[in-house]
């Protein structure tokens, strides 16, 4: 068994400094998934729906301000859930440190969603081949007596 296999079975936590404390960010647990999904869904949708122009720094700032304004509390609650820290403790932190914390939560859990969830969901979808009604083979071709 390789080191990569072990990391898949028991991923190494990401370590982030926040408010002078060393926080270990671990993958979500089964019990955390439903609430985390409810909290993260509007944040991700807000980022995906934004008309972001990569060349304009002001556009990026506008998008971030919109997402923070519309979904900031949800982001704080999601990070509180993952870290086990109180919302009030997180709210008193430095915004730059919080961004690093959010990034770590995303990075630690990204592999689970992209390498585990997406392939499983893909197997549950009906394939495009064979989808829809089958033409009947009992009818005679056009133009035959």
């Amino acid at each position: 068994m390789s080191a990569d296999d072990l990391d898949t079975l028991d991923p190494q936590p990401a370590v982030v400094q926040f408010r002078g404390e060393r926080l270990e960010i671990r993958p979500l647990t089964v019990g955390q998934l439903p609430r985390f999904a409810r909290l993260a869904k509007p944040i991700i949708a807000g980022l995906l729906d934004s008309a972001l122009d990569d060349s304009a720094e002001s556009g990026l700032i506008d998008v971030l301000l919109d997402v923070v304004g519309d979904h900031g509390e949800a982001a704080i609650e999601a990070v509180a859930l993952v870290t086990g820290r109180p919302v009030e403790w997180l709210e008193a932190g430095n915004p730059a440190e919080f961004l690093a914390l959010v990034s770590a939560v995303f990075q630690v859990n990204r592999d689970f969603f992209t390498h585990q969830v997406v392939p499983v969901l893909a197997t549950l979808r009906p394939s495009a081949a064979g989808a829809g009604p089958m033409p009947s083979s009992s009818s005679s071709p056009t133009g035959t007596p």
Side-chain angles (χ1 to χ4, degrees):
M1 188 174 275
S2 72
D4 288 340
D5 293 335
L6 291 175
D7 280 344
T8 300
L9 294 174
D10 187 22
Q12 296 299 308
V15 177
V16 178
Q17 290 291 325
F18 189 79
R19 297 194 62 195
E21 293 189 28
R22 180 181 184 272
L23 300 180
E24 289 189 354
I25 309 303
R26 296 193 174 276
L28 293 163
T29 65
V30 171
Q32 292 172 322
L33 275 172
R35 184 161 180 236
F36 185 86
R38 284 190 301 272
L39 291 167
K41 186 176 180 179
I43 299 166
I44 294 168
L47 288 170
L48 293 175
D49 289 345
S50 64
L52 183 58
D53 178 5
D54 292 337
S55 63
E57 185 177 310
S58 63
L60 176 60
I61 292 171
D62 288 344
V63 168
L64 290 175
L65 288 175
D66 286 345
V67 170
V68 169
D70 294 342
H71 308 293
E73 289 87 0
I76 295 166
E77 287 182 45
V79 171
L81 176 69
V82 173
T83 62
R85 301 295 176 149
V87 167
E88 297 78 19
W89 185 79
L90 292 167
E91 288 175 335
N94 175 294
E97 286 184 330
F98 184 74
L99 185 58
L101 193 53
V102 169
S103 179
V105 169
F106 172 75
Q107 292 297 327
V108 167
N109 291 287
R110 179 183 64 193
D111 284 344
F112 167 70
F113 286 103
T114 59
H115 294 116
Q116 303 291 323
V117 175
V118 171
V120 168
L121 292 177
T123 64
L124 297 176
R125 284 189 181 151
S127 66
M134 289 282 282
S136 171
S137 60
S138 64
S139 63
S140 56
T142 308
T144 56

